[in-house]
Amino acid sequence: MKPLDELIRPHLRHLVPYSSARDDYDGTEGVFLDANENAYGSVIDAPLHRYPDPYQRAVKDRVARVKGVRPEQIFLGNGSDEPIDLLMRAFGRPGQDQVILLPPTYGMYGVSAGLNELGIKSVPLLPGFQIDVTATLAAFGDTTKLLFVCSPNNPSGNVMDREAVERLLDFPGLIVIDEAYADFSPEHSWLPELDRYPNIVVLQTFSKAWGLAALRLGMAFASPEIIRVLNRIKPPYNVNLLTQQHALAALDQTERKNERVAKLTEQRTHLQKELSALAFVQHVFPSDANFLLTRFDDAATVFRYLIDQQVIVRDRSRLPLCEGCLRVTVGTEAENAVLIDALRRFDSATP
Ligand SMILES: *Cc1c(COP(=O)(O)O)cnc(C)c1O
């Protein structure tokens, strides 16, 4: 890895960040006449008239304890999509630099790269959805700033081999390891390695295992130096007060989160078995996430049939290595039964 000061876009080295009223005084007692808020309160029955903590300190303290990291290693954003975009904006020079993507993978990396006018070096995963290490190493260069590794990978569901990722750690830029689905996997997170590898950024989210997709809260974990860069360029109040309050409540419910994860992984095993038993299913890929990539004889027809039955799955058949594949999110026991019933009827209706 190059020194962070060389990786960051040159004009940002001297950018003076927005200084919010709450940066100047962070006590809680006093008469607050500094932020042009409405002193008479909100027009609805909710205490929302003050700007929230721009650094979400209370939430970070709790996240730090739950995840076993230090608060200064945490960035919180409006979903994981926000740190994905901020990393590109901080380190990628538009029209000059590239990111390395390993398709088939999460679509936002490519969209965000496009928005930021960054080139995309695509290194397709190998059959079995593992990393082609040799080809990825060959894609490294002076202007490749970010490498995105999604593990467990969306849409394939598998964890990336640890040794393969370890062989990539000499990357000159930052390696972003997206662990949105880590709770559903028995494999170890990369979080404990943060102190060893200054160039990794681990992404996690409240959207999947915690069941809080509507809250829009994503986490990025990295060295304090990288977190400081993200803090300097983020919108000042990027995580609203309601999100911060609900996140604090959620972080007291890790037991419940674990129960949900246990139920979903149990349902995943069940669904995997039921799908595999269908004659027109070619393959159900093993999954460490809360979805199953499934290959059908005729995915397009199954997809349309399911929509007619008001069962909505995701068509991934146009992605590389995913020909004929639909991505099925694991539902509740009842939802999975509806899906399987519908597919059995499809089976008996086709010659
Ligand atoms: C769902 C998902 C996320 C989560 O995105 P949020 O913006 O936090 O909801 C991140 N990465 C991957 C690979 C995902 O599938």
Side-chain angles (χ1 to χ4, degrees):
M1 178 194 178
K2 292 184 198 160
L4 209 61
D5 205 43
E6 272 176 49
L7 272 183
I8 192 172
R9 284 166 66 191
H11 74 289
L12 292 179
R13 279 177 214 148
H14 310 291
L15 180 92
V16 179
Y18 177 76
S19 156
S20 75
R22 295 294 176 263
D23 283 333
D24 297 335
Y25 177 78
D26 66 3
T28 49
E29 298 300 315
V31 176
F32 286 93
L33 303 176
D34 57 346
N36 299 350
E37 296 149 338
N38 191 318
Y40 283 102
S42 317
V43 299
I44 54 168
D45 235 354
L48 294 172
H49 59 300
R50 298 291 181 194
Y51 283 101
D53 177 2
Y55 301 109
Q56 313 96 24
R57 278 161 281 210
V59 184
K60 283 182 186 171
D61 283 345
R62 284 297 283 135
V63 170
R65 264 181 284 157
V66 169
K67 299 287 179 182
V69 300
R70 301 189 301 282
E72 60 273 21
Q73 292 173 305
I74 305 171
F75 175 86
L76 299 177
N78 186 350
S80 311
D81 296 342
E82 185 170 37
I84 290 170
D85 177 70
L86 290 178
L87 285 163
M88 301 218 187
R89 275 207 263 174
F91 298 102
R93 291 169 301 172
Q96 294 183 61
D97 290 334
Q98 300 92 36
V99 301
I100 302 180
L101 305 185
L102 313 174
T105 194
Y106 186 42
M108 266 321 279
Y109 313 143
V111 171
S112 214
L115 272 170
N116 288 292
E117 208 189 340
L118 299 178
I120 297 173
K121 287 191 180 176
S122 282
V123 183
L125 295 171
L126 299 167
F129 300 108
Q130 286 299 328
I131 300 173
D132 185 339
V133 175
T134 313
T136 308
L137 289 171
F140 288 8
D142 251 6
T143 53
T144 47
K145 296 295 173 69
L146 297 159
L147 162 62
F148 283 85
V149 176
C150 190
S151 180
N153 186 43
N154 180 1
S156 55
N158 61 293
V159 167
M160 296 302 164
D161 282 342
R162 226 177 163 76
E163 290 136 62
V165 178
E166 270 163 11
R167 288 173 58 199
L168 301 176
L169 289 169
D170 286 335
F171 184 59
L174 301 183
I175 305 188
V176 184
I177 306 177
D178 188 342
E179 295 186 344
Y181 301 98
D183 288 280
F184 301 104
S185 168
E187 295 296 321
H188 291 295
S189 161
W190 282 84
L191 276 187
E193 313 294 335
L194 278 187
D195 285 320
R196 256 174 87 194
Y197 304 114
N199 64 334
I200 65 173
V201 179
V202 176
L203 300 180
Q204 294 188 2
T205 179
F206 281 83
S207 295
K208 310 288 158 64
W210 296 87
L212 291 166
L215 203 57
R216 307 310 304 134
L217 188 60
M219 300 168 268
F221 303 93
S223 70
E225 292 71 29
I226 295 174
I227 299 299
R228 272 198 293 274
V229 170
L230 298 180
N231 279 336
R232 282 181 54 206
I233 66 170
K234 80 184 182 76
Y237 305 107
N238 60 326
V239 178
N240 72 69
L241 181 69
L242 295 175
T243 297
Q244 295 188 40
Q245 288 171 342
H246 282 94
L248 278 174
L251 287 159
D252 280 337
Q253 302 292 338
T254 48
E255 204 115 313
R256 251 171 125 177
K257 186 260 294 173
N258 293 338
E259 281 163 25
R260 298 264 152 97
V261 167
K263 272 195 190 157
L264 282 166
T265 47
E266 188 187 298
Q267 282 301 309
R268 180 180 73 202
T269 307
H270 169 70
L271 193 57
Q272 162 106 34
K273 207 172 95 222
E274 297 283 331
L275 286 169
S276 303
L278 296 164
F280 57 102
V281 165
Q282 290 180 8
H283 189 60
V284 185
F285 290 90
S287 171
D288 265 344
N290 66 338
F291 55 82
L292 292 164
L293 189 71
T294 308
R295 177 164 283 142
F296 293 85
D297 285 343
D298 183 355
T301 308
V302 173
F303 180 72
R304 280 194 309 269
Y305 164 81
L306 284 176
I307 287 194
D308 285 343
Q309 306 293 309
Q310 292 189 315
V311 177
I312 326 304
V313 298
R314 192 104 155 104
D315 184 358
R316 301 283 75 184
S317 60
R318 277 172 293 273
L319 298 185
L321 298 177
C322 297
E323 201 189 316
C325 289
L326 304 178
R327 193 193 66 196
V328 182
T329 303
V330 177
T332 62
E333 191 174 352
E335 289 171 335
N336 299 331
V338 170
L339 168 74
I340 293 299
D341 272 1
L343 289 173
R344 288 207 185 112
R345 273 181 277 121
F346 174 84
D347 200 10
S348 49
T350 45

